Amino acid sequence: SPPGAASPNSPGSLTPPTVDKDGDSSSRAAFEVQGRRSLGIKLYYKLLENILVAEEARLHQDNFSTLLNHDLFHRSLLAGSMEIIIYSYKMHQYAFPYILRCLEVSPFDFCKLIENIVKHEPTLPKALVAHLGRIEERILESLAWEDKSPLWDLLKAGLPATTPRKLARAPPSQTLMSPARPPLTKMAPGTPAATPTKGSSHSLELFLRKVFLIASLRAQNLCANLNMPSIIFQRLWSALVQVIEHKNELMKGRHLDQLIMSTLYGVCRVSQMQVTFRMIIDKYSTQQQASSKIYRDVLLKSPEEHGDIISFYNDVYIP
């Protein structure tokens, strides 16, 4: 088994459910799952070889002992390989982020490797690329901001010094992917394969650039649908940068869209625009990623306390 691979009897294995009492369906399901697990491991080795060959050509060296000894890299790559198989074979009982829990990989750490998988497996069908892209968005907008995420340790160490200043001047200009496009941004210079071993500042900066990219595009869309003057978007953007730089604890256990809608409402009130939360929610609901749960079920002051987005704005965001 590859490094980080779960043994057949471990909690990390893909264990099929029992289907009926006679055992035939259960045995057949077990055989199918084991076969697909094997496909995932084969894909893992193929991706690993592709990455190492590409890095050898780029760096003109063949010593990758640091990377190969990095257990998190292997578990993340295996998780990506298994996710491709799970999605391809419509194994809905193992839908994302199931495989991350099995292999004990945080969404934040997995996000670092998604583009590498797409880059180093160019034969992936467009539907699979779109699936991985949507996973990346889910991580950027909410999963990476969960309470136990390693992202918080990096944020405590401080944001990359140049990122907020650059973003305050102008939002990112890249185009957000459509369902058929590759992931959000091109990899920054530096080996994608070596991301786990590079400095944490680089990882955080790349992550934040992507977060600000989707925030910018969603905020622009919201302002356009509300027929807002450009000055409102500019104020919204400056406020979002400040919130994520200085008040990023507001994202803990929450969703990026909750922050965008709340900030837009606050900007509109300060700017004396006649805009209600109902109007913002109605236009937000037309966005592709929108869900009523996002504005109806928002974490308030404790894990046990939830309310709608208006309660969040009044009780948490404003104080």
Side-chain angles (χ1 to χ4, degrees):
S1 295
S7 65
N9 296 318
S10 74
S13 63
L14 297 180
T15 306
T18 300
V19 178
D20 59 18
K21 293 181 180 179
D22 62 17
D24 291 342
S25 296
S26 181
S27 298
R28 184 168 60 253
F31 178 79
E32 289 176 353
V33 168
Q34 185 60 32
R36 290 165 188 174
R37 180 177 181 274
S38 297
L39 287 175
I41 292 173
K42 288 179 181 177
L43 179 57
Y44 157 85
Y45 281 117
K46 181 183 179 184
L47 284 168
L48 180 60
E49 180 181 10
N50 290 351
I51 288 171
L52 294 179
V53 168
E55 289 304 291
E56 182 177 5
R58 190 182 72 83
L59 299 173
H60 305 292
Q61 64 155 336
D62 57 5
N63 182 2
F64 297 104
S65 57
T66 301
L67 175 65
L68 293 174
N69 286 324
H70 203 288
D71 181 64
L72 178 58
F73 166 74
H74 290 288
R75 283 186 283 120
S76 299
L77 187 60
L78 180 60
S81 303
M82 293 305 304
E83 180 59 32
I84 288 171
I85 300 302
I86 288 168
Y87 181 80
S88 298
Y89 285 92
K90 297 179 171 60
M91 302 169 73
H92 302 300
Q93 68 271 41
Y94 305 120
F96 188 85
Y98 175 88
I99 195 64
L100 297 191
R101 295 192 294 267
C102 287
L103 295 172
E104 298 182 348
V105 176
S106 75
F108 175 74
D109 288 320
F110 182 65
C111 190
K112 301 174 191 176
L113 216 60
I114 292 176
E115 288 191 27
N116 299 314
I117 292 170
V118 173
K119 178 179 179 180
H120 294 290
E121 187 46 63
T123 62
L124 286 178
K126 287 184 178 180
L128 263 172
V129 174
H131 173 66
L132 293 174
R134 181 56 191 142
I135 285 176
E136 182 180 48
E137 279 195 63
R138 286 179 60 191
I139 293 171
L140 295 169
E141 70 192 12
S142 62
L143 295 179
W145 301 93
E146 292 173 347
D147 186 43
K148 303 296 184 182
S149 174
L151 170 63
W152 296 108
D153 289 334
L154 295 182
L155 288 171
K156 285 177 184 176
L159 295 178
T162 59
T163 302
R165 289 199 298 271
K166 289 179 181 177
L167 292 168
R169 288 196 296 268
S173 58
Q174 297 96 324
T175 302
L176 186 65
M177 63 182 181
S178 70
R181 287 179 186 164
L184 294 169
T185 58
K186 295 182 179 180
M187 290 299 295
T191 167
T195 296
T197 63
K198 290 178 75 69
S200 58
S201 178
H202 172 78
S203 297
L204 180 58
E205 182 169 3
L206 182 58
F207 173 81
L208 289 175
R209 284 179 182 278
K210 293 184 177 186
V211 170
F212 280 120
L213 172 58
I214 62 172
S216 170
L217 291 164
R218 293 176 185 183
Q220 287 184 65
N221 174 269
L222 202 53
C223 289
N225 286 338
L226 286 163
N227 295 315
M228 296 285 185
S230 60
I231 188 63
I232 297 298
F233 171 72
Q234 293 167 13
R235 291 171 181 171
L236 168 60
W237 180 249
S238 296
L240 278 173
V241 171
Q242 288 297 311
V243 168
I244 294 179
E245 181 182 8
H246 297 293
K247 298 289 184 181
N248 46 55
E249 68 275 5
L250 287 171
M251 279 294 298
K252 185 172 286 188
R254 299 189 179 95
H255 195 287
L256 178 64
D257 292 351
Q258 295 164 352
L259 206 65
I260 293 172
M261 286 187 280
S262 296
T263 306
L264 176 57
Y265 181 74
V267 166
C268 288
R269 288 199 65 182
V270 170
S271 304
Q272 298 183 330
M273 299 287 295
Q274 299 302 311
V275 175
T276 65
F277 250 122
R278 183 72 261 168
M279 294 166 64
I280 293 173
I281 289 170
D282 286 345
K283 297 304 181 183
Y284 165 74
S285 297
T286 66
Q287 295 189 354
Q288 185 178 10
Q289 82 290 346
S291 165
S292 61
K293 182 177 169 66
I294 291 171
Y295 53 81
R296 288 177 177 168
D297 184 17
V298 188
L299 174 67
L300 298 181
K301 294 183 178 180
S302 70
E304 298 77 26
E305 188 180 3
H306 286 246
D308 62 18
I309 194 164
I310 297 175
S311 299
F312 167 69
Y313 179 85
N314 290 329
D315 299 341
V316 180
Y317 185 88
I318 288 299

